[in-house]
Amino acid sequence: MSAYWLALVPLLPLLSALAIGALQFGGALSGDAGEKVTARLALLGIGAATLLVLALAWNAWPAGLDAQAYGDWLRLGKISIGLELVGDRFRLAVAGVFGILLWVALRFSVNYMHREAGFHRFFFLLSLFAAAMLLLVLAGNALLTFVGWELAGLCSYLLIGYAYDRPIATSNALRVFVTNRIGDAGFVLAIGLSLVWLESCDWRTINDGAADLEKGDALLLATCFALAASVKSAQFPFTFWLGRAMEGPTPSSAIFYGGVMTHAGVFLLIQLQPLFEQASQAMALLIEVGALTALYGYWVGLSQTDIKSSQIFAAAVQLGLMFVECGLGWWTLASWHLLAHAVVRCYLLLSAPSILQATACRPTVPVPAWLARRRWAFLVSLQRGWLEPALERLFVKPVRRLSEDLRYLDEHVIDPALGAPAPAMRAISSLAQWEERKLGANLDSDRDSFAYGSGLAGKLAQWSAALLGWFEYRFILRGIGGDSIRFGRRLGRAANRFEKLLLSPRYLALFVLITLMVALGYR
């Protein structure tokens, strides 16, 4: 079979999603009557894509398919980014397993989501997510992978907030979405560095050119990709977002955070094997992060009181072990571990409702005896190590204060300097005129009562004082003096405020980061 067929793999679920969205938007799908049509469209798209992947894998095994370009995304000078898909053995295997899991989860959802108010929206998002993940797996360059990466994150956000009328659901969805943007920043930076140093973001070019990079450049590039993979696979200290992601329906939790999406980070590491082998420090970082994640997930999982949280922290342990395997250079083991764990974890999460029903009348399993004897350890486990509050205090609050400072600067310095809209200017002008009249009245009264004398000498002194007062009021205080005094006081207060802000830790850290970025840029 020709490699041209690869384009249909992500395209078929995308067409199903577009068909469901168009029919629902047009009013053709609504209520119970439209559930069969929606389910059949979604199952047809993902089922056809999965069968196509399996057929391509069977036909091309074991050599795989060559890269297939379908046009140019961007061509600028020496830089060329194409619409390219790759079907090597590992990618076809991962796409086949992910396709089967997606189809099983969709089939499970037909009965599970029956008569739900958001039935059609759920199947639309799962079909869109399937297209995103299949694109992510088969993409031949980092930019096309990033498109699938972001689209999958958007679907995750919308399904965590599936019950959008509940504040806790929308809050958890927003927290997960914002946390994953940290990894996206590392991914974008890695793409930029690849274009600058290698003049390409193709995965093959990045891996082939890794040996020609300087050690520091290879380390920085690998670290950026490792950051993206760590956040997507919920590695320490970003593991906390997994617990918040359980707010969505069980089928989406199973396929997103048990079977498919959380393994995208490990998949990214495996396909960048040559790059990481050129950066030993980055591989050591993978070992440390993976080990911390495994220990943290094990400890926290001991005290969880609901089955979905227990399952998801058990998944965090396995993902941490995959990172350790990648860091040790056991790439084949990590590949098999990824595929096996995706199947097992998806099954366990899909069967969670049945497990609850089967064990409803049985006593709960107590925590281990050693943990029960150490109350401080049990409390730390129950509170999940206070990881999220600690990160919020260290990172979120300083960034929030920084944004407040920037807003104050914008409202009180930039807007007055550049001008404001007409209504605001009229209001400011009216206020200034009122202030001027008030100041003038005070000065007139002060001028009239400033000096009063009798006799020739007294009158001369009075007239001289009145003349000097009139000159001072007309040419100094009224012209520039009053405004300059007020401006000087405001400028002094602003300078004192600015000095205090510059001495705060968040700005010192910001200046250090800017200095490092400038130094790397000049390098």
Side-chain angles (χ1 to χ4, degrees):
M1 296 179 69
S2 173
Y4 277 100
W5 290 95
L6 272 178
L8 288 177
V9 175
L11 187 60
L12 289 172
L14 178 61
L15 292 176
S16 296
L18 294 177
I20 294 171
L23 290 174
Q24 187 179 13
F25 184 77
L29 293 178
S30 61
D32 298 350
E35 288 186 1
K36 287 186 178 180
V37 177
T38 298
R40 287 174 180 172
L41 284 172
L43 289 171
L44 178 63
I46 296 179
T50 303
L51 291 176
L52 181 57
V53 167
L54 295 177
L56 290 171
W58 177 271
N59 185 68
W61 200 267
L65 297 173
D66 295 331
Q68 181 62 52
Y70 303 92
D72 290 332
W73 179 298
L74 173 68
R75 185 178 295 275
L76 183 62
K78 296 181 180 180
I79 297 176
S80 177
I81 303 175
L83 296 171
E84 185 179 82
L85 299 180
V86 180
D88 57 32
R89 288 191 305 170
F90 178 61
R91 284 185 171 88
L92 289 176
V94 173
V97 171
F98 282 3
I100 293 172
L101 295 179
L102 285 162
W103 189 89
V104 170
L106 269 178
R107 184 63 189 87
F108 176 87
S109 303
V110 174
N111 295 327
Y112 188 88
M113 301 297 295
H114 178 52
R115 291 186 175 177
E116 285 284 341
F119 182 93
H120 308 286
R121 173 164 49 94
F122 179 85
F123 277 80
F124 165 77
L125 290 173
L126 269 190
S127 299
L128 190 62
F129 171 74
M133 287 305 304
L134 293 174
L135 176 64
L136 185 155
V137 170
L138 298 175
N141 57 64
L143 187 59
L144 205 55
T145 300
F146 185 70
V147 173
W149 190 279
E150 285 298 287
L151 192 56
L154 176 62
C155 295
S156 169
Y157 164 73
L158 294 174
L159 281 173
I160 296 172
Y162 174 79
Y164 56 84
D165 54 335
R166 299 178 62 242
I168 187 65
T170 55
S171 174
N172 286 345
L174 184 61
R175 284 296 185 100
V176 173
F177 185 78
V178 172
T179 303
N180 276 271
R181 301 292 71 77
I182 299 174
D184 295 346
F187 206 131
V188 171
L189 182 57
I191 293 175
L193 294 176
S194 302
L195 293 175
V196 171
W197 292 337
L198 302 174
E199 296 182 348
S200 175
C201 62
D202 292 348
W203 294 125
R204 183 170 51 191
T205 303
I206 292 174
N207 287 325
D208 293 342
D212 299 329
L213 290 175
E214 296 182 5
K215 290 294 183 181
D217 296 342
L219 174 61
L220 180 58
L221 185 58
T223 303
C224 292
F225 280 121
L227 174 62
S230 298
V231 179
K232 185 66 77 174
S233 293
Q235 296 299 289
F236 190 88
F238 306 104
T239 317
F240 68 89
W241 72 258
L242 279 178
R244 288 186 174 270
M246 292 298 99
E247 188 64 31
T250 295
S252 64
S253 299
I255 201 64
F256 276 67
Y257 317 110
V260 176
M261 196 180 78
T262 52
H263 294 88
V266 181
F267 171 81
L268 180 65
L269 297 179
I270 293 173
Q271 74 171 352
L272 288 171
Q273 172 185 345
L275 172 63
F276 278 93
E277 289 178 344
Q278 297 297 322
S280 57
Q281 292 175 324
M283 295 186 70
L285 180 63
L286 294 180
I287 297 174
E288 295 171 1
V289 170
L292 285 174
T293 305
L295 291 174
Y296 175 79
Y298 170 73
W299 193 350
V300 172
L302 292 174
S303 61
Q304 296 307 301
T305 56
D306 62 280
I307 190 169
K308 288 177 70 174
S309 295
S310 300
Q311 289 288 345
I312 209 62
F313 281 104
V317 175
Q318 298 299 321
L319 291 168
L321 293 177
M322 293 179 209
F323 267 65
V324 173
E325 292 161 2
C326 292
L328 293 173
W330 300 344
W331 302 102
T332 304
L333 177 61
S335 302
W336 284 104
H337 195 174
L338 184 156
L339 297 174
H341 180 256
V343 175
V344 172
R345 192 60 58 189
C346 184
Y347 167 75
L348 289 174
L349 280 169
L350 285 178
S351 60
S354 300
I355 296 174
L356 288 177
Q357 186 176 5
T359 59
C361 300
R362 299 180 185 178
T364 57
V365 179
V367 298
W370 66 269
L371 186 61
R373 288 194 300 267
R374 295 169 175 82
R375 294 188 176 183
W376 63 270
F378 176 74
L379 181 61
V380 172
S381 174
L382 190 64
Q383 297 295 328
R384 301 180 180 180
W386 292 284
L387 180 60
E388 187 174 0
L391 291 176
E392 183 171 355
R393 185 174 184 85
L394 288 174
F395 299 104
V396 178
K397 288 186 177 180
V399 172
R400 186 178 299 168
R401 288 196 295 267
L402 178 61
S403 66
E404 292 173 356
D405 298 339
L406 293 176
R407 180 179 178 182
Y408 178 87
L409 179 68
D410 185 51
E411 292 180 351
H412 293 80
V413 178
I414 298 178
D415 281 349
L418 299 181
M425 286 301 295
R426 285 196 294 269
I428 294 173
S429 177
S430 301
L431 181 62
Q433 292 174 3
W434 180 79
E435 290 279 354
E436 186 176 355
R437 286 197 299 269
K438 182 178 178 182
L439 179 62
N442 293 335
L443 289 174
D444 287 339
S445 61
D446 293 341
R447 182 190 60 206
D448 293 338
S449 59
F450 179 76
Y452 180 79
S454 59
L456 180 59
K459 290 298 181 181
L460 288 174
Q462 179 181 345
W463 293 338
S464 300
L467 180 62
L468 292 175
W470 175 85
F471 178 82
E472 182 183 19
Y473 170 68
R474 293 290 179 182
F475 294 95
I476 300 178
L477 294 179
R478 188 173 181 180
I480 59 173
D483 291 338
S484 63
I485 292 172
R486 289 193 295 270
F487 177 75
R489 291 175 178 173
R490 287 198 301 269
L491 184 61
R493 288 193 294 267
N496 291 333
R497 236 180 345 255
F498 183 68
E499 182 181 6
K500 291 180 180 179
L501 288 175
L502 290 180
L503 296 176
S504 60
R506 58 184 183 276
Y507 285 100
L508 293 177
L510 181 63
F511 291 150
V512 171
L513 179 61
I514 293 174
T515 303
L516 290 175
M517 293 177 66
V518 171
L520 290 173
Y522 277 115
R523 181 182 175 187

